Amino acid sequence: MQNRVPQIDWLRCVFIVLMVMFHLVYLGGKYPFLKQVVYTFHMPAFLLISGYLANMDKSIRAIGRQVWWLFVPYAVMEAGYVVMASVLPIREHIDGLTPGVFADKLLLHPLGPYWYLHTMMVCYVVYYAVSRLCGRMATVSFMCVLGLCMYAVSALSGLVSMDNAMYFMAGVLVRRSGAGFTSVFRPSWPAVVPLVLLCVVSPGGLHRFTLQGVVMTYLSMSLALAACGSLPRGGRASRLVLFVGANTLPILLFSPLFTIVAKSFVPLFAFDPTAVLFTVVSVTFVIAGSLGVARLADVLHVSRLFCGRERMLTGY
């Protein structure tokens, strides 16, 4: 774990917890404005981090293997989610599942949280192709070519939305500029002031594909990094947080299995009108359950078949 950046794992933990929280239908329905605020920045931050961490200094075989082992768990879980959406009364319910609809959701327009993996695969392929052809270009020229290619893929195929690609490319820009991640994204408690003001004064701008969304993403990351500095280093809580941040993939993959079950917790916490207790218990249940499934896959030695690695879980 010597090569890991603790600040990045901290951010990943914060944003995966927010993802799980607002995939709980009960909480999102109770606080729709807060859900809109969080949706403005939490996945854009993930996309930006992914762009920063993307390493294209690989052979075509290595990058092909990386994309393949994103596709396998994506395809398995997305297929299951589509079938589930056709039989359960969830928000993304599908009436009349046909082979055509199934293929559309699997290959073009995924349901649930798996759109993120779909976006990563497309961005990796486009980024790698541009890197192979134009890798020696100056950073500004390279980013212009990458942006044009992403736009072409978005406009012609619809495989990726340009707002998501934009955040991925922002991470690439930070990486190619040579600036360290923590040099660009600096901790700041005062960031909470403009963040709150933007939410209150301009609620109409709460979308990732706006200048306000970009600013809010940066401010949220700065604020989260400031909170990271207050966490005692080396303690049990710190190790737990960083462990969760290092294992966001299994949480993303398996969390829908547990968010459905968490709906049954609502009557148990009817006495709490704030839904705070429901949220704490449900988020803990979903994350622990997702990591538990990954651990079981490791113990049963099926992780290699599912994600191409001996172990799904990354220690810390």
Side-chain angles (χ1 to χ4, degrees):
M1 294 298 96
Q2 297 169 341
N3 295 327
R4 301 199 71 91
V5 180
Q7 292 89 339
I8 291 179
D9 284 328
W10 164 265
L11 289 175
R12 284 155 48 121
C13 177
V14 170
F15 294 124
I16 200 69
V17 167
L18 288 174
M19 186 206 80
V20 171
M21 283 178 59
F22 287 97
H23 279 180
L24 297 170
V25 176
Y26 177 63
L27 184 68
K30 200 169 187 64
Y31 298 103
F33 179 72
L34 185 57
K35 177 179 179 178
Q36 188 179 9
V37 170
V38 170
Y39 270 46
T40 302
F41 62 77
H42 78 311
M43 293 313 290
F46 259 118
L47 290 163
L48 194 154
I49 291 170
S50 295
Y52 177 80
L53 294 176
N55 177 16
M56 296 294 111
D57 189 20
K58 299 178 178 180
S59 67
I60 190 169
R61 181 174 181 177
I63 199 69
R65 187 176 187 277
Q66 181 177 350
V67 172
W68 172 254
W69 287 115
L70 279 178
F71 177 76
V72 171
Y74 160 79
V76 171
M77 300 309 296
E78 176 65 18
Y81 195 95
V82 171
V83 172
M84 179 186 70
S86 70
V87 297
L88 295 179
I90 62 175
R91 179 170 48 88
E92 297 174 300
H93 179 73
I94 298 174
D95 289 319
L97 181 62
T98 65
V101 171
F102 182 85
D104 176 76
K105 299 304 180 186
L106 182 65
L107 301 176
L108 298 176
H109 305 108
L111 295 178
Y114 306 119
W115 67 264
Y116 175 80
L117 297 179
H118 185 273
T119 295
M120 284 300 96
M121 288 185 283
V122 176
C123 286
Y124 283 157
V125 170
V126 176
Y127 182 23
Y128 184 75
V130 175
S131 295
R132 295 276 289 191
L133 297 173
C134 310
R136 295 183 181 276
M137 281 185 172
T139 297
V140 173
S141 300
F142 178 87
M143 294 306 302
C144 288
V145 174
L146 180 61
L148 287 172
C149 290
M150 289 289 191
Y151 178 77
V153 171
S154 174
L156 297 176
S157 69
L159 285 173
V160 65
S161 65
M162 199 57 200
D163 53 345
N164 292 330
M166 176 185 72
Y167 285 100
F168 179 87
M169 290 189 295
V172 172
L173 177 60
V174 173
R175 179 68 172 263
R176 286 185 65 90
S177 70
F181 187 87
T182 54
S183 297
V184 176
F185 300 96
R186 303 188 66 83
S188 172
W189 283 113
V192 69
V193 176
L195 184 60
V196 171
L197 285 176
L198 285 171
C199 297
V200 174
V201 175
S202 181
L206 295 176
H207 189 277
R208 67 185 66 176
F209 202 28
T210 62
L211 178 59
Q212 179 175 330
V214 173
V215 173
M216 287 179 62
T217 299
Y218 182 87
L219 292 173
S220 68
M221 294 175 74
S222 294
L223 184 59
L225 286 171
C228 176
S230 65
L231 193 70
R233 294 182 179 274
R236 182 176 298 178
S238 175
R239 290 196 301 273
L240 177 60
V241 166
L242 296 178
F243 176 75
V244 170
N247 290 285
T248 53
L249 178 60
I251 296 173
L252 176 73
L253 287 171
F254 303 129
S255 60
L257 303 175
F258 297 95
T259 52
I260 293 174
V261 178
K263 289 182 179 181
S264 63
F265 298 168
V266 174
L268 302 177
F269 296 96
F271 63 89
D272 176 19
T274 67
V276 170
L277 290 175
F278 165 81
T279 301
V280 171
V281 171
S282 297
V283 169
T284 302
F285 169 74
V286 171
I287 292 177
S290 301
L291 295 177
V293 172
R295 174 60 178 161
L296 182 62
D298 290 346
V299 170
L300 297 178
H301 304 291
V302 297
S303 296
R304 175 172 287 279
L305 299 175
F306 187 68
C307 62
R309 302 185 313 210
E310 290 295 338
R311 299 177 63 83
M312 280 194 74
L313 289 181
T314 299
Y316 222 106

